[in-house]
């Protein structure tokens, strides 16, 4: 098969790349069912759809969020609701299975050739492009293209096959585990539990999905503990609130919490989303950055193919553009994370106490960080120099 | 070589992302390990303790 553009991985990054490409594009994914399994807590901010220029379908959204709660190790709750937050927009909990499949459908309807159950094996450069080998049912297929966009998630086999070292040390990856539970009392709120007692180096989340169901999950930094993510979450489930809960689905996964790859392009290649480590290292959120980076890569690929220039130099524009969108932010959050991860539970409780009267312009990681620094100049003097 | 307990493994792919030697591939159905150096990184990462 011969194509202009080959996109690998039909998560949000890959589908957005395909949607934004105006050339002969193929999108392959190893899964037989796009969007499955879910490996995500599914929370996104309100601005996502506007930013990516796509009108959300009803079935993509599970729940609109009305407030956010941050809970400290000893149980101090900071409730960020419309009384505390001026622009009271708290985002959504998505239905990722529908969302991912929906985006892939848009790509397919825009002319992209969509190939599920097609597993990338290896790639090589040809005289004027790239060639990939993929396994589809019992057959090894070859696809030749001009440009390859790697959106194959945290495993990032594509980048590795081009000799790029994308391996993450254990300190910079979250080991994640989640139950989708029903028969529990929920608030229309995102709830985050912080502290080593709950989740060393991460947090426990409760994200509402329906009337009485939620994603209850955890991310931990495995280098900080001998216990498993599953052990911590099973402990958390013993609390009164979740006791009658029934598990309807179990998810696991890995989330990169480093800053993005230093170089996200090479001759004939761009790397997007989780594969490029484009995740907010404080929250572990990566849908936004995946969608934006994918969109940009799709547009740049189109330009490159028009100009018949697939060189590293031409594709470097991709990195410039995604950095403009969220590069600085992720750098800050990465530095902040280095400081916050060292805090003891007692220090986290102190911070929670200091935030009792918090008032915010809007709900964003940056706004919350600024408030913490303002109230805790001594404790977080290191942070202060970063974000003021 | 490390051993994967298939009854426990969720096929999440996390082990493949932390392997410093790029020895692990996780497909929809199985975990393929080639040339394992027994460094133990994947074992430490696994969210469910499926690696021995």
């Amino acid at each position: 098969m011969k194509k202009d553009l080959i996109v690998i991985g039909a998560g949000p990054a890959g589908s957005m790349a395909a949607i934004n490409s105006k050339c002969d594009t193929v999108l392959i994914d190893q899964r037989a069912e796009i969007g499955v399994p879910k490996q995500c807590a599914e929370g996104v901010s309100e601005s996502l759809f506007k930013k990516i220029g796509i009108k959300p379908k009803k079935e993509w959204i599970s729940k609109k969020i009305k407030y956010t709660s941050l809970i400290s190790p000893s149980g101090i709750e900071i409730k960020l609701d419309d009384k505390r937050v001026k622009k009271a927009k708290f985002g959504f909990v998505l239905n990722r299975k529908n969302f991912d499949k929906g985006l892939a459908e848009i790509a397919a309807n825009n002319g992209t050739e969509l190939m599920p159950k097609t597993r990338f094996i290896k790639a090589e450069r040809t005289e004027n492009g790239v060639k990939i080998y993929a396994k589809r049912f019992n057959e090894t297929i070859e696809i030749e293209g001009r440009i390859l966009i790697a959106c194959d998630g945290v495993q990032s086999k594509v980048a590795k096959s081009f000799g790029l070292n994308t391996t993450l040390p254990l300190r910079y990856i979250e080991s994640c585990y989640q139950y989708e539970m029903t028969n529990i009392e929920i608030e229309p709120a995102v709830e985050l539990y912080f502290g080593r007692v709950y989740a060393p180096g991460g947090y426990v989340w409760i994200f509402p999905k329906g009337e009485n169901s939620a994603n209850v999950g955890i991310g931990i930094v495995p280098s900080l503990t001998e216990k498993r993510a599953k052990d911590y979450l099973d402990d958390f489930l013993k609390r009164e609130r979740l006791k009658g809960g029934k598990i309807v689905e179990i998810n696991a996964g890995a989330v990169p919490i480093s800053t993005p790859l230093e170089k996200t392009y090479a001759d004939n290649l761009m790397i997007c989303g989780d594969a490029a480590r484009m995740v907010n290292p404080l929250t572990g959120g990566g849908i936004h950055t995946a969608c934006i980076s994918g969109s940009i890569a799709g547009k740049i690929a189109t330009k490159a193919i028009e100009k018949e220039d697939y060189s590293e130099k031409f594709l470097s524009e991709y990195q410039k553009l995604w950095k403009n969108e969220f590069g600085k932010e992720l750098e800050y959050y990465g530095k902040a994370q280095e400081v916050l991860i060292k805090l003891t539970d007692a220090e986290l409780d102190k911070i929670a106490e200091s935030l009792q009267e918090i008032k915010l312009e809007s709900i964003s990681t940056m706004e919350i960080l600024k408030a913490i620094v303002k109230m805790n100049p001594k404790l977080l003097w290191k942070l202060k120099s970063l974000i003021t | 070589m490390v051993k994967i307990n298939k009854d426990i493994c969720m096929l999440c792919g996390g082990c493949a992302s932390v392997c410093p030697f790029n020895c692990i591939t996780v497909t929809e159905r199985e975990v393929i390990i080639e040339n394992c150096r027994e460094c133990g990184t994947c074992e430490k990462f696994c969210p469910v303790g499926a690696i021995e």
Side-chain angles (χ1 to χ4, degrees):
Chain A
M1 185 191 286
K2 277 193 177 168
K3 290 279 172 187
D4 293 330
L5 173 63
I6 306 168
V7 183
I8 297 174
S15 288
M16 287 308 297
I19 289 169
N20 283 280
S21 70
K22 304 275 173 284
C23 50
D24 193 11
T25 303
V26 61
L27 172 59
I28 75 167
D29 194 292
Q30 71 166 351
R31 296 167 296 180
E33 190 176 355
I34 286 161
V36 178
K38 170 177 88 186
Q39 291 183 296
C40 184
E42 305 183 285
V44 289
S45 66
E46 198 104 358
S47 60
L48 175 73
F49 295 108
K50 204 172 166 192
K51 186 85 211 171
I52 64 176
I54 285 181
K55 201 166 166 254
K57 294 208 169 113
K58 224 172 145 191
E59 67 265 26
W60 296 359
I61 292 168
S62 293
K63 194 97 183 164
K64 192 168 159 54
I65 300 302
K66 300 228 171 87
Y67 67 93
T68 298
S69 260
L70 312 175
I71 296 114
S72 82
S74 72
I76 304 166
E77 186 183 0
I78 313 295
K79 192 171 167 182
L80 302 169
D81 57 11
D82 54 4
K83 291 184 198 86
R84 295 273 180 79
V85 184
K86 210 168 161 191
K87 285 182 205 132
K89 295 196 164 175
F90 298 94
F92 306 104
V93 177
L94 292 177
N95 180 322
R96 274 294 300 274
K97 290 173 190 170
N98 292 344
F99 173 66
D100 284 30
K101 204 169 176 175
L103 286 184
E105 269 174 24
I106 295 174
N109 287 322
N110 283 1
T112 292
E113 182 157 356
L114 188 59
M115 296 175 79
K117 199 170 162 54
T118 305
R119 177 164 57 91
F120 170 84
I121 298 170
K122 63 172 182 174
E124 61 192 31
R125 284 211 170 79
T126 58
E127 204 179 312
N128 200 19
V130 280
K131 183 173 173 184
I132 68 151
Y133 298 83
K135 194 93 181 170
R136 185 159 211 248
F137 291 93
N138 210 18
E139 204 186 335
T140 301
I141 58 168
E142 294 175 17
I143 308 174
E144 283 183 66
R146 305 291 182 203
I147 289 180
L148 190 60
I149 302 183
C151 308
D152 56 331
V154 70
Q155 281 200 51
S156 60
K157 287 281 163 193
V158 180
K160 282 173 187 157
S161 80
F162 277 90
L164 297 163
N165 181 13
T166 58
T167 306
L168 286 163
L170 287 175
R171 161 65 185 85
Y172 292 103
I173 194 153
E174 292 275 330
S175 177
C176 297
Y177 187 69
Q178 175 173 270
Y179 296 122
E180 187 176 322
M181 299 184 79
T182 193
N183 198 40
I184 53 175
E185 263 184 49
I186 57 154
E187 299 284 325
V190 161
E191 294 168 60
L192 307 172
Y193 293 78
F194 292 94
R196 298 211 168 199
V197 56
Y198 299 124
Y203 57 89
V204 170
W205 62 81
I206 302 179
F207 283 15
K209 287 278 287 180
E211 285 307 309
N212 62 348
S213 60
N215 289 328
V216 182
I218 188 170
I220 63 166
V221 170
S223 63
L224 297 179
T225 172
E226 289 300 317
K227 277 165 69 184
R228 306 287 168 185
K230 181 178 186 296
D231 301 332
Y232 282 100
L233 191 61
D234 287 339
D235 276 347
F236 189 82
L237 253 49
K238 287 176 193 149
R239 55 183 46 223
E240 203 51 47
R241 158 112 193 260
L242 297 171
K243 262 193 179 158
K246 310 273 166 58
I247 295 163
V248 290
E249 188 175 315
I250 307 175
N251 315 117
V255 174
I257 50 162
S258 62
T259 42
L261 292 183
E262 263 177 45
K263 196 156 162 267
T264 55
Y265 61 92
D267 287 338
N268 315 93
L269 177 71
M270 287 175 276
I271 310 167
C272 308
D274 277 13
R277 316 304 183 220
M278 293 168 181
V279 172
N280 177 340
L282 268 183
T283 64
I287 298 173
H288 227 95
T289 40
C291 288
I292 294 170
S293 62
S295 304
I296 295 170
K299 285 175 191 159
I300 297 292
T302 307
K303 256 200 211 169
I305 285 156
E306 270 167 20
K307 296 248 181 328
E308 293 183 29
D309 185 349
Y310 324 115
S311 68
E312 175 173 301
K313 195 174 162 222
F314 192 90
L315 300 181
S316 67
E317 179 77 3
Y318 161 63
Q319 177 147 325
K320 208 175 114 195
L321 292 177
W322 73 250
K323 278 203 167 170
N324 280 347
E325 288 287 339
F326 56 77
K328 253 201 184 127
E329 238 177 284
L330 294 192
E331 289 280 325
Y332 280 143
Y333 296 151
K335 285 176 187 164
Q337 192 243 25
E338 296 283 355
V339 175
L340 292 174
I341 205 167
K342 293 195 185 93
L343 297 178
T344 63
D345 283 5
E347 286 169 318
L348 284 170
D349 279 325
K350 248 190 181 167
I351 292 178
E353 275 166 29
S354 79
L355 296 179
Q356 289 299 316
E357 300 304 320
I358 186 175
K359 290 259 195 268
L360 297 176
E361 254 320 289
S362 65
I363 193 95
S364 77
T365 321
M366 191 62 90
E367 285 275 325
I368 295 171
L369 260 186
K370 279 183 179 166
I372 291 176
V373 173
K374 202 174 156 197
M375 301 309 294
N376 301 273
K378 256 187 197 163
L379 187 61
L380 291 174
W381 62 272
K382 278 185 201 158
L383 260 181
K384 197 173 161 74
S385 63
L386 295 173
I387 62 173
T388 47
Chain B
M1 194 162 99
V2 294
K3 268 194 199 142
I4 309 277
N5 184 329
K6 286 186 185 170
D7 292 328
I8 299 176
C9 176
M10 299 276 302
L11 294 171
C12 77
C15 50
S17 63
V18 296
C19 174
F21 307 106
N22 194 18
C23 301
I24 309 179
T25 303
V26 181
T27 75
E28 267 201 302
R29 282 169 210 282
E30 59 179 339
V31 180
I32 302 161
I33 305 173
E34 290 163 313
N35 307 317
C36 172
R37 321 252 181 113
E38 299 191 345
C39 67
T41 309
C42 58
E43 189 266 331
K44 190 121 178 62
F45 167 82
C46 182
V48 292
I51 305 177
E52 288 151 24

